[in-house]
Amino acid sequence: MAGGNWPRLEHLDLSSNRLNAGAITQLTQYAWTWRLLDLEVHDNPDMDVIAVQKLASGRLLFLRGLGISGGFMLNWFIEEVASAWTRLQSVYLDCDYCPAHDISFAGVWPKLKNLQIKTREPSRRGILAKPVRLELSEAEWPNLQSLDLSYSHLDSAGFSQLALGEWPLLSRLDVSHLPFSEDKFKPEHYAVFALGSWPRLTDLCLSHNGMDDECAAKLISADWPKLRILDLSYNDIGATGSASVAQGKWPDMEHLCLHGNNLECMCPCCILQEGF
C-alpha cells in the first residue's frame, strides 16, 4: 500500500486481517492516511497495546469513524488513548475489560453519534469473571443517536444509571445479552431504567437478559412516545408480564418481539390485554 496515491481516500477497511504494531506504524506514515475520515481495524487478533498506541500517535486528525478491537483493556483505552481522537462521531470497540475499577467516559468524544461496545473476559488465568461498571451517565454526548451495549458485561448498577444519560437525540438503544447469573437484574433496576428521558427513542432491545414478569411490568411507566420497536425475546416473561407490557403508552409501536419466552396461553386477554 506504500505506493498508493489516493488524495481523496476517506474510508479504509482493514478489518479481519493480521495487523500488528509494525503494520500500524507503517500505515500511519503514509500521507494519504492523514486525511482519513473512517478507519476499521477491528477483528485483527494481533492488535495489542503497542499497536493501538502507534495508531493513536499517528496524524489521523480528521478521523470521524473508528472500529477497533484487540486484546487491550477497555479501561486503559479510555484513559490513555481515546482522547487522541476528538472528532470521532462513530466508535466500535471490541476489547477486554478490567474489573478493577469503574470505567468513565466523561469528557471523551464530545461529537459522538454512534457507540458500540463489546467486552470480553480477559483470557488470563486467575481473573474472575465479573460484570464491568461502565460510567456512561456522565458522558456529555448531546448528539448521541445509537448506543449498542450488547455483550458489554454491563452490571446492574451501570444498567440502572443509563437513565441518567442526557441524550436527547437517542433513537436506538441495545442493552441485550447482559449478565444475569452472578449479578441478576431485578425489578428495581428496570424501574430506574424506565425513567430514562429519551424522547426520540424508537428502537429498544432488551433480549437475553433474564427478564421476568415483574421486570417487564416496570417498563410500562416509561415515557418513550416514539417507541416503534421493542425486542424482549429470549427472556423469562409469561402472560402476566406481556399483559403488563401491553399497557405501555407507546402509540407508535409497530414491532413487539416476545419470541423465546414463557408464554403458554395464546388468549388475547392474557397476552395483550389492552392491545397496541
Side-chain angles (χ1 to χ4, degrees), residues 32-212:
W32 48 265
T33 64
W34 303 348
R35 294 179 292 271
L36 284 176
L37 299 181
D38 298 280
L39 175 63
E40 297 184 32
V41 288
H42 54 84
D43 296 311
N44 280 276
D46 295 333
M47 287 279 289
D48 56 10
V49 170
I50 297 177
V52 178
Q53 286 178 325
K54 294 293 184 181
L55 187 63
S57 63
R59 303 181 185 181
L60 304 176
L61 303 179
F62 299 98
L63 204 61
R64 296 183 309 189
L66 174 66
I68 188 170
S69 65
F72 51 87
M73 295 295 184
L74 178 59
N75 59 329
W76 170 84
F77 181 86
I78 298 301
E79 294 173 359
E80 304 295 333
V81 179
S83 59
W85 297 297
T86 59
R87 299 192 180 194
L88 282 178
Q89 298 179 19
S90 181
V91 178
Y92 166 55
L93 297 177
D94 180 10
C95 52
D96 293 340
Y97 72 84
C98 180
H101 62 279
D102 299 348
I103 301 172
S104 175
F105 286 75
V108 178
W109 309 321
K111 298 183 179 182
L112 192 66
K113 293 183 179 180
N114 304 294
L115 175 62
Q116 181 178 4
I117 300 176
K118 296 184 184 297
T119 55
R120 300 186 299 269
E121 300 164 4
S123 57
R124 293 175 296 172
R125 294 183 179 180
I127 296 183
L128 299 178
K130 294 181 180 179
V132 62
R133 175 71 62 83
L134 298 179
E135 293 287 352
L136 297 173
S137 59
E138 297 181 359
E140 297 180 1
W141 296 328
N143 300 314
L144 188 66
Q145 299 175 11
S146 176
L147 179 59
D148 186 345
L149 299 176
S150 59
Y151 297 99
S152 66
H153 290 82
L154 186 69
D155 70 356
S156 57
F159 174 76
S160 299
Q161 290 179 2
L162 288 176
L164 302 176
E166 297 182 1
W167 309 314
L169 300 183
L170 187 68
S171 61
R172 179 181 180 274
L173 177 59
D174 188 339
V175 280
S176 62
H177 294 83
L178 299 182
F180 56 87
S181 53
E182 180 178 321
D183 185 41
K184 183 175 177 61
F185 289 9
K186 300 177 181 178
E188 52 263 35
H189 298 133
Y190 283 94
V192 176
F193 174 78
L195 297 175
S197 179
W198 307 309
R200 297 195 181 187
L201 187 66
T202 61
D203 187 341
L204 174 61
C205 183
L206 294 168
S207 67
H208 294 82
N209 282 346
M211 292 179 62
D212 56 19

